[in-house]
């Protein structure tokens, strides 16, 4: 059974990995620097492995097994604790599995571009913002980004309707150029009929700030579900009364938002380097 990312046992297992590495290294009569030279890493890496503060890559684990003659023990640890682990938290994986089966997705996002519509630089910038101490080439962020981009393959196989709060289009995630690239991607998805996007103006007032983001997924042979997500957990519900209420709220959002054509015009204006532009019909 896989150990979930948040399970305390996961941390204890990495500490045990480090203790075993130290024991076997000392039994072999090697210093940290000597072992590091044999497996082509720095002595500080070995020290961090032994302290349980750093996770070795699979190729490093394999070389440790060869040098210390473990019979593959360290490689099995890495396979169990890293390679076989879901890259997303369990509640996110549950939603992603449902999304794969949906034939319609109705999304409201209050402060960012929906994951299914994100570009590489935008997604990477978000993940690095969540993990400010991660290295620029952090492997887990790279994997998270690839998985997020893969979601874009669903477009065209299901209908996507997204209502985006204006703020989501104005916050320059990843910097001006990365954000422009993201906006151009939205424009392309609209023109290619892979998504319908409406912009909910800030000027809409209470309607534009009273709701958290949510997604409604429709299926051909299953009940529609409502998914909401917080920082560390998510909730998926399929009770008819709950889903019906959510669709009523979504209908209100769609009626308050700019029309799809006006929304496209507004997004295109932002791609042209005009951050002070107001949504159509609201310019002074």
């Amino acid at each position: 059974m896989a150990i979930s990312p948040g399970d305390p046992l996961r941390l204890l297992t990495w500490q045990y990995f480090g203790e075993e590495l130290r024991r076997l290294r000392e039994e072999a009569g090697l210093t940290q620097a000597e072992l590091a030279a044999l497996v082509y890493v720095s002595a500080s890496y070995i020290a961090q492995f032994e302290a349980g503060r750093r996770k070795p890559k699979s190729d490093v684990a394999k070389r440790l097994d060869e040098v210390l003659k473990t019979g593959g023990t360290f490689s099995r640890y890495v396979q169990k604790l890293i390679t076989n682990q879901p890259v997303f938290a369990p509640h996110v994986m549950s939603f992603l599995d449902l999304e794969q089966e949906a034939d319609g997705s109705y999304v409201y996002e209050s402060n960012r571009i929906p994951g299914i519509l994100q570009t590489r630089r935008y997604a990477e910038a978000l993940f690095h913002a969540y993990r400010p101490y991660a290295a620029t080439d952090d492997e887990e962020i790279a994997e998270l980004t690839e998985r997020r981009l893969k979601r874009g393959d669903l477009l065209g196989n299901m209908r996507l309707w997204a209502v985006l709060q204006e703020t989501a289009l104005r916050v320059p995630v990843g910097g001006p150029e990365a954000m422009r690239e993201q906006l151009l991607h939205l424009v392309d998805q609209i023109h290619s009929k892979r998504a319908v996007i409406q912009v909910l103006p800030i000027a809409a007032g209470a309607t534009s700030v009273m709701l958290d983001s949510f997604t409604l997924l429709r299926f051909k042979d299953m009940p529609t579900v409502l998914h909401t997500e917080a920082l560390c957990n998510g909730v998926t519900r399929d009770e008819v009364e709950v889903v019906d209420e959510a669709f009523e709220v979504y209908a209100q959002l769609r009626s308050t938002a700019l029309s799809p054509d006006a929304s496209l015009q507004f997004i295109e204006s932002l791609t042209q380097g005009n951050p002070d532009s107001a949504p159509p019909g609201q310019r002074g």
Side-chain angles (χ1 to χ4, degrees), residues 2-59:
I3 302 172
S4 67
D7 193 328
L9 181 59
R10 189 175 175 85
L11 177 59
L12 291 175
T13 306
W14 279 119
Q15 291 173 345
Y16 178 74
F17 179 105
E19 291 170 0
E20 281 296 285
L21 176 58
R22 181 190 298 274
R23 181 182 68 80
L24 291 170
R25 174 181 60 76
E26 291 176 346
E27 284 183 359
L30 298 170
T31 65
Q32 289 180 340
E34 289 169 339
L35 177 59
L38 291 172
V39 297
Y40 312 113
V41 298
S42 69
S44 65
Y45 266 43
I46 297 297
Q48 291 178 63
F49 293 159
E50 291 185 355
R53 293 197 300 267
R54 194 178 186 98
K55 306 167 188 177
K57 299 178 182 178
S58 57
D59 58 334

Side-chain angles (χ1 to χ4, degrees), residues 107-142:
V107 181
Y108 169 66
E109 275 289 354
S110 60
N111 55 24
R112 63 179 179 178
I113 306 301
I116 196 170
L117 289 169
Q118 289 175 11
T119 59
R120 180 178 300 279
R121 287 202 289 175
Y122 186 98
E124 285 178 343
L126 281 182
F127 287 128
H128 276 287
Y130 294 151
R131 305 178 183 195
Y133 299 110
T136 303
D137 58 350
D138 184 89
E139 289 186 353
E140 191 166 352
I141 287 180

Side-chain angles (χ1 to χ4, degrees), residues 72-210:
T73 297
F74 292 135
S75 293
R76 288 192 291 273
Y77 272 131
V78 170
Q79 184 76 17
K80 185 74 171 178
L81 290 173
I82 298 180
T83 309
N84 289 343
Q85 289 298 314
V87 67
F88 293 107
H91 71 273
V92 177
M93 291 301 298
S94 175
F95 169 74
L96 295 181
D97 288 342
L98 286 170
E99 187 182 54
Q100 291 281 337
E101 302 298 324
D103 66 350
S105 180
Y106 303 85
V107 181
Y108 169 66
E109 275 289 354
S110 60
N111 55 24
R112 63 179 179 178
I113 306 301
I116 196 170
L117 289 169
Q118 289 175 11
T119 59
R120 180 178 300 279
R121 287 202 289 175
Y122 186 98
E124 285 178 343
L126 281 182
F127 287 128
H128 276 287
Y130 294 151
R131 305 178 183 195
Y133 299 110
T136 303
D137 58 350
D138 184 89
E139 289 186 353
E140 191 166 352
I141 287 180
E143 186 176 358
L144 286 165
T145 301
E146 291 301 327
R147 288 291 297 272
R148 178 156 291 180
L149 295 177
K150 188 69 175 174
R151 290 173 62 192
D153 293 344
L154 295 173
L155 296 173
N157 296 322
M158 73 171 180
R159 286 173 284 185
L160 174 68
W161 196 299
V163 177
L164 308 183
Q165 218 275 357
E166 181 183 341
T167 304
L169 302 171
R170 290 191 176 276
V171 177
V173 174
E177 283 304 312
M179 192 63 199
R180 182 173 183 275
E181 178 184 73
Q182 174 64 74
L183 294 172
L184 287 170
H185 179 67
L186 297 183
V187 170
D188 180 63
Q189 299 308 300
I190 295 170
H191 281 304
S192 62
K193 306 299 182 182
R194 290 160 61 88
V196 176
I197 298 175
Q198 287 183 263
V199 177
L200 185 64
I202 294 172
T207 302
S208 69
V209 296
M210 69 180 183

Side-chain angles (χ1 to χ4, degrees), residues 170 180 266-278 283:
R170 290 191 176 276
R180 182 173 183 275
F266 176 56
I267 296 171
E268 287 178 329
S269 73
L270 293 178
T271 69
Q272 294 164 9
N274 187 14
D276 295 326
S277 63
R283 298 186 176 100

